[in-house]
Amino acid sequence: MQKQQTIIEESLKALMEDESFLPDLQAQTREQAFKSLVALLSTPNHIHKSFLRVSLDDNTIVRIPAFRVQHSDTVGPYKGGVRFHESVNEGEVSNLAKLMTLKNALHELPFGGGKGGVVIKPQEYNIRELNLICKKYVQYFDDILGPDKDIPAPDVGTGEREMDWMMGEFKNIHPGQPYRNSFTGKSVVNGGSLGRREATGKGVYFTFRYMMHNFLNENKKWLSETDNVFANTALTHHDRKLSVAVQGFGNLGSVAALEAYQCDYLQNKIVAVSDHNVMLYNNDGLDIPALIKFTEESDGELPTTEEELEEHEVKAEIRERDELLELDCDVLLLAALEDQIHEENMDRIQASMIIEGANGPITEDADRYLADKGVLIVPDILANAGGVIVSYYEWIQGREAQFMTEDQVYERLFDKMKYTMDTILPQFFGDPFPLRQNCYIHSVMKLSTIMYRQGKLY
Ligand SMILES: NC(=O)c1ccc[n+]([C@@H]2O[C@H](COP(=O)([O-])OP(=O)(O)OC[C@H]3O[C@@H](n4cnc5c(N)ncnc54)[C@H](O)[C@@H]3O)[C@@H](O)[C@H]2O)c1
């Protein structure tokens, strides 16, 4: 995630060299503004850390490290998920909080950026203990959370069950006060939004489909006349069958894979999917609905034996999990974890286009290496905002106590993502920066302008 910092600084530098950006600033003050903005955007406003005191069922008491990082409230209340995972640490949570600030600014949501984390392996705790951990999280961070202060949501290891529990605890602690919007990603009966669970996966595929179908169709002429290397990559893959490999078949990966499988606009063939155990491969295309059905009955796991495949009439070869990244395919859709493509494997990546469903799945070195080769990377900040966009709709629906249908939610989600794409794509295909850099420039420009106008640079 070091690349975040590098790209923020490069984006600010590019902006400061452009005289139409904050034209009131003269040369010397531009230099000072640059330094101030680097400092303000690089560091979080607050890092809150606690050790949750939890009494386990075997009567031992444990102290579990927990974090809430509030990166920036420039645009609105802090907003970002709470992750339950054994690898959670302060640096990771801080980087993810920063990414939320940039993502919310890019998609013009009225939120700042935050993130939380608890250092546990959820599978090692029973349901009562997990419930207690959620309640303790709210008790320990109670004074900094709230519908207009900091609004957590699900992340890796948490879901609507945990958000319901946390909101319930928030309500207990604040009787008579508004509580419904203190958390998003809740179950529908508790004020959650229809469509929230599928929103990120649908949004991830939508960004790709919109770029490769709608945008290319409308802009083919001028794109074919530019010498932009990424325009060339996109056009080379336009209007032909695309082979797609999906890493990670959880909430995000399975929904995005299904969207790709069912897409009426692009002809996709999903040649491979993987989870933490296995990769399944079929050069003629996998039956994604059958695999989703399997995972619904197997606690989310893909089939790992020939018998399981046969029983569910899925035709696939069982292969080593990590071979997926190096397959000869057109598109890699990364929907598992951070840092999956790195210095060790970057030169063996064969896909020409990569969609980042997960946050930060490509390291800084690999990102540069692939961009230099003309690989078109649709970055996390652009592609995986569907969850936070629908969280925003959940927040509005909770305030107004008026609820949208699932179709209305998706219509507004796609409109919002289309708006962002229409802002970014013409600029991207018109200059030499990778798409990630273009998105960062847009976010940094918005955040810097607001900070300047709010008098934060003095
Ligand atoms: N779900 C959301 O709304 C959302 C929003 C933004 C970002 N993300 C990011 O997307 C990623 C996936 O999120 P999710 O909600 O689908 O999580 P999930 O836990 O539902 O699914 C993760 C999947 O990845 C698989 N996996 C784990 N390690 C793997 C490996 N080494 N190789 C291949 N597969 C592996 C798991 O088996 C599982 O299928 C995370 O990085 C998350 O931060 C999710």
Side-chain angles (χ1 to χ4, degrees):
M1 286 269 194
Q2 168 55 32
K3 70 169 180 271
Q4 248 180 21
Q5 189 52 33
T6 315
I7 304 177
I8 288 175
E9 288 185 28
E10 286 173 359
S11 303
L12 269 173
K13 211 174 207 162
L15 283 170
M16 287 299 171
E17 282 164 11
D18 176 355
E19 285 176 9
S20 66
F21 173 67
L22 301 183
D24 308 350
L25 288 178
Q26 299 306 307
Q28 204 191 348
T29 36
R30 281 186 106 70
E31 181 61 26
Q32 286 158 355
F34 171 76
K35 286 188 190 152
S36 311
L37 287 164
V38 169
L40 288 169
L41 291 171
S42 310
T43 44
N45 286 354
H46 309 284
I47 296 180
H48 303 276
K49 178 174 181 181
S50 271
F51 290 90
L52 312 180
R53 181 191 189 281
V54 178
S55 165
L56 301 181
D57 277 5
D58 66 2
N59 282 332
T60 50
I61 294 194
V62 287
R63 290 286 234 160
I64 300 175
F67 303 91
R68 186 72 193 166
V69 175
Q70 298 179 318
H71 177 258
S72 165
D73 60 351
T74 296
V75 182
Y78 303 104
K79 181 101 193 75
V82 184
R83 180 172 288 201
F84 282 10
H85 197 272
E86 66 271 26
S87 70
V88 161
N89 60 67
E90 187 178 310
E92 180 192 72
V93 182
S94 299
N95 283 329
L96 290 166
K98 197 189 300 179
L99 184 63
M100 285 309 296
T101 300
L102 295 160
K103 195 182 293 180
N104 292 336
L106 175 67
H107 294 276
E108 309 210 351
L109 299 174
F111 294 129
K115 203 78 177 187
V118 178
V119 190
I120 55 164
K121 199 170 182 180
Q123 302 84 326
E124 291 178 354
Y125 296 83
N126 66 36
I127 189 163
R128 198 201 65 82
E129 292 165 338
L130 285 172
N131 174 272
L132 194 56
I133 292 167
C134 288
K135 286 181 178 166
K136 291 277 177 170
Y137 188 85
V138 179
Q139 290 165 16
Y140 278 58
F141 295 122
D142 158 55
D143 52 335
I144 58 155
L145 301 177
D148 290 306
K149 288 198 230 170
D150 185 342
I151 310 134
D155 195 82
V156 175
T158 56
E160 60 182 35
R161 180 183 69 175
E162 287 74 17
M163 295 306 110
D164 284 357
W165 287 341
M166 288 190 184
M167 184 198 73
E169 187 60 11
F170 188 87
K171 182 179 169 213
N172 280 345
I173 299 173
H174 300 275
Q177 288 181 30
Y179 62 90
R180 198 163 273 132
N181 292 319
S182 51
F183 290 82
T184 60
K186 305 179 296 287
S187 65
V188 172
V189 286
N190 256 324
S193 178
L194 289 166
R196 170 66 180 81
R197 196 190 76 77
E198 295 84 2
T200 310
K202 279 183 178 277
V204 163
Y205 184 71
F206 175 81
T207 50
F208 180 70
R209 187 269 275 175
Y210 186 75
M211 177 176 75
M212 291 302 292
H213 174 72
N214 307 63
F215 191 82
L216 286 195
N217 276 343
E218 279 169 29
N219 296 281
K220 205 167 178 176
K221 188 167 180 308
W222 77 263
L223 287 175
S224 57
E225 286 160 4
T226 73
D227 53 5
N228 182 294
V229 60
F230 304 111
N232 186 38
T233 304
L235 287 171
T236 312
H237 292 82
H238 189 220
D239 270 347
R240 72 172 179 79
K241 196 161 191 158
L242 298 173
S243 54
V244 182
V246 182
Q247 186 200 38
F249 205 68
N251 184 13
L252 197 165
S254 64
V255 173
L258 186 64
E259 290 290 300
Y261 177 88
Q262 292 175 333
C263 183
D264 291 333
Y265 303 95
L266 300 178
Q267 304 169 54
N268 299 303
K269 159 174 89 150
I270 320 299
V271 291
V273 297
S274 66
D275 70 0
H276 66 116
N277 292 318
V278 75
M279 188 249 281
L280 301 177
Y281 179 81
N282 183 341
N283 195 38
D284 296 327
L286 291 163
D287 182 346
I288 298 299
L291 287 171
I292 290 180
K293 190 157 183 296
F294 183 91
T295 56
E296 282 166 356
E297 293 159 11
S298 68
D299 214 12
E301 313 267 309
L302 286 168
T304 52
T305 63
E306 298 293 348
E307 294 72 40
E308 285 176 331
L309 286 172
E310 240 168 64
E311 205 180 308
H312 288 77
E313 295 177 23
V314 176
K315 290 194 175 56
E317 288 169 42
I318 297 171
R319 293 216 203 158
E320 279 299 307
R321 180 190 77 187
D322 293 341
E323 271 182 43
L324 179 134
L325 295 172
E326 299 169 19
L327 285 177
D328 181 7
C329 62
D330 299 309
V331 184
L332 268 184
L333 198 162
L334 304 176
L337 302 169
E338 287 88 3
D339 298 340
Q340 294 301 293
I341 301 183
H342 42 72
E343 258 181 286
E344 308 283 304
N345 62 5
M346 61 190 186
D347 59 345
R348 296 195 297 277
I349 304 301
Q350 301 192 59
S352 312
M353 291 182 281
I354 303 180
I355 314 167
E356 292 187 334
N359 288 318
I362 306 178
T363 65
E364 181 175 13
D365 289 337
D367 196 45
R368 279 193 199 280
Y369 174 86
L370 293 169
D372 287 348
K373 273 178 60 181
V375 175
L376 202 173
I377 300 172
V378 185
D380 46 12
I381 182 174
L382 181 63
N384 73 15
V388 69
I389 293 173
V390 173
S391 274
Y392 167 50
Y393 299 150
E394 179 176 339
W395 189 70
I396 297 176
Q397 292 174 83
R399 283 186 169 235
E400 297 174 348
Q402 298 271 356
F403 291 89
M404 295 189 244
T405 64
E406 197 169 68
D407 285 347
Q408 287 169 328
V409 170
Y410 293 143
E411 196 184 325
R412 286 186 66 171
L413 166 67
F414 296 145
D415 276 354
K416 186 106 190 116
M417 297 196 89
K418 175 179 174 308
Y419 177 83
T420 307
M421 300 285 279
D422 285 340
T423 311
I424 298 294
L425 290 180
Q427 192 182 327
F428 163 55
F429 285 119
D431 72 28
F433 297 127
L435 188 48
R436 190 188 314 281
Q437 175 106 40
N438 266 289
C439 292
Y440 272 57
I441 290 176
H442 188 82
S443 303
V444 165
M445 179 165 64
K446 172 151 191 202
L447 291 161
S448 306
T449 308
I450 294 176
M451 281 193 257
Y452 175 65
R453 299 272 172 236
Q454 288 181 358
K456 298 279 163 61
L457 301 188
Y458 297 97

